[in-house]
Amino acid sequence: MVRAAGIASVVALLVAGTHARADDVPDAKLKQSVEGPQRTPAAAARDNFRHPYEVLHFFGLRDDQTVVEIWPGGSGYWTEILAPYLRDKGHYYAAVGETVGASEETLKSNAAFAAKLAATPGLYDRVTTTEFGADRHEIAPAATADLVVTFRNVHNWMAQHEDEAAFRTFFRALKPGGTLGVEEHRGRTDQPQDPEAKSGYVRQDWTIALAERVGFEFAGSSEVNANPKDTKDYSAGVWTLPPVFRLGAVDRAKYEAIGESDRFVLKFRKPVQ
């Protein structure tokens, strides 16, 4: 369900937005997309923890780019922003979970995402859906993407022992000089990294080293999603915190006061040569 304003007004707002910018110049069109009436209330309610405008602006997003999002999820939090923003001048690829051998959870997520796109063709008719499985699928034609983005997924690939393969897949899809944007729950530096990231937390330095092993160059970090109240020592891992609240009513007020996890936001470049 979208907010009250009609889809036509959303598209009109986005078409009126700006195009070229330097990294330090505000992007009015992106702000309009983040604040637009197409955003579902549940998604917009998390913006104070996820800071979508600041994160995408940091990644260098432009409306004429080819952008690939890895695992958009059933709700399509970032799709609601990226698809209309890129609709007229760019190209948005949504790389959903692979279907062969998929879990019931993945199949449900993919179905929910497909239903979301079909329900609002005025916004989502130009979205290209591909599949992501580390080193098993083409998320976009090789060397065509300007930007690949992934949000809080690295721990999943570590659990599957496919983290390096995943980053190789991103590297192939990007143009020389293209950007990889990564957000993840930030692990503690006073503890060794669990190679399977069972708690959901991943050290920032570990992720940088992973990307560099594949061939990426580290291009910067943002603290926009930092949360110093996150102690990262919960019995149920990061999922103890909102929005999951895995412990249910147990100490819920405590975890609500902490808020969502402490997260790093990293930017990498694929070398030009």
Side-chain angles (χ1 to χ4, degrees):
M1 178 178 177
V2 299
R3 297 183 195 174
I7 297 304
S9 64
V10 178
V11 175
L13 279 172
L14 298 178
V15 169
T18 56
H19 162 60
R21 61 163 177 79
D23 283 349
D24 58 347
V25 176
D27 185 336
K29 181 177 179 180
L30 181 56
K31 285 183 179 291
Q32 289 171 336
S33 190
V34 169
E35 297 169 2
Q38 85 285 359
R39 301 287 310 287
T40 52
R46 297 185 64 195
D47 286 357
N48 61 322
F49 291 112
R50 306 193 73 175
H51 302 99
Y53 172 82
E54 291 83 359
V55 169
L56 294 172
H57 194 66
F58 171 71
F59 289 157
L61 177 69
R62 296 194 319 270
D63 69 350
D64 62 345
Q65 289 180 327
T66 294
V67 179
V68 184
E69 181 188 358
I70 307 300
W71 287 354
S75 66
Y77 175 93
W78 295 96
T79 303
E80 291 182 357
I81 299 167
L82 290 168
Y85 177 80
L86 296 164
R87 185 175 185 273
D88 292 319
K89 298 178 181 178
H91 195 170
Y92 171 61
Y93 285 89
V96 302
E98 60 183 336
T99 54
V100 175
S103 66
E104 183 177 349
E105 180 182 4
T106 296
L107 293 176
K108 286 182 177 179
S109 177
N110 288 356
F113 184 73
K116 181 182 186 72
L117 300 189
T120 317
L123 288 177
Y124 303 128
D125 60 336
R126 299 180 185 175
V127 174
T128 299
T129 301
T130 58
E131 292 187 13
F132 170 76
D135 266 353
R136 290 188 292 278
H137 300 282
E138 186 177 70
I139 57 176
T144 62
D146 298 288
L147 174 64
V148 174
V149 293
T150 180
F151 303 96
R152 297 174 296 118
N153 287 316
V154 177
H155 64 277
N156 293 308
W157 304 320
M158 292 172 66
Q160 299 164 3
H161 304 281
E162 293 188 335
D163 41 305
E164 192 165 312
F167 276 64
R168 285 197 300 267
T169 301
F170 310 152
F171 194 89
R172 280 198 304 272
L174 284 165
K175 297 175 180 177
T179 300
L180 170 65
V182 180
E183 180 199 48
E184 181 57 282
H185 310 293
R186 178 162 37 203
R188 293 169 56 160
T189 57
D190 62 344
Q191 297 176 352
Q193 177 63 56
D194 171 11
E196 294 186 345
K198 298 181 189 69
S199 68
Y201 288 99
V202 182
R203 284 178 52 145
Q204 180 169 324
D205 57 349
W206 190 96
T207 305
I208 292 172
L210 165 63
E212 290 178 339
R213 284 199 305 274
V214 171
F216 284 105
E217 298 173 345
F218 179 56
S221 63
S222 169
E223 289 298 297
V224 67
N225 286 342
N227 180 0
K229 293 187 289 185
D230 180 6
T231 56
K232 313 172 187 184
D233 57 358
Y234 318 110
S235 61
V238 71
W239 304 281
T240 304
L241 299 175
V244 177
F245 290 113
R246 184 166 286 177
L247 298 180
V250 176
D251 291 329
R252 187 179 179 99
K254 169 186 172 181
Y255 300 127
E256 283 181 336
I258 293 173
E260 295 195 17
S261 66
D262 176 43
R263 297 165 187 164
F264 60 70
V265 179
L266 304 177
K267 181 167 55 177
F268 301 95
R269 296 261 193 261
K270 179 177 180 176
V272 175
Q273 292 182 342

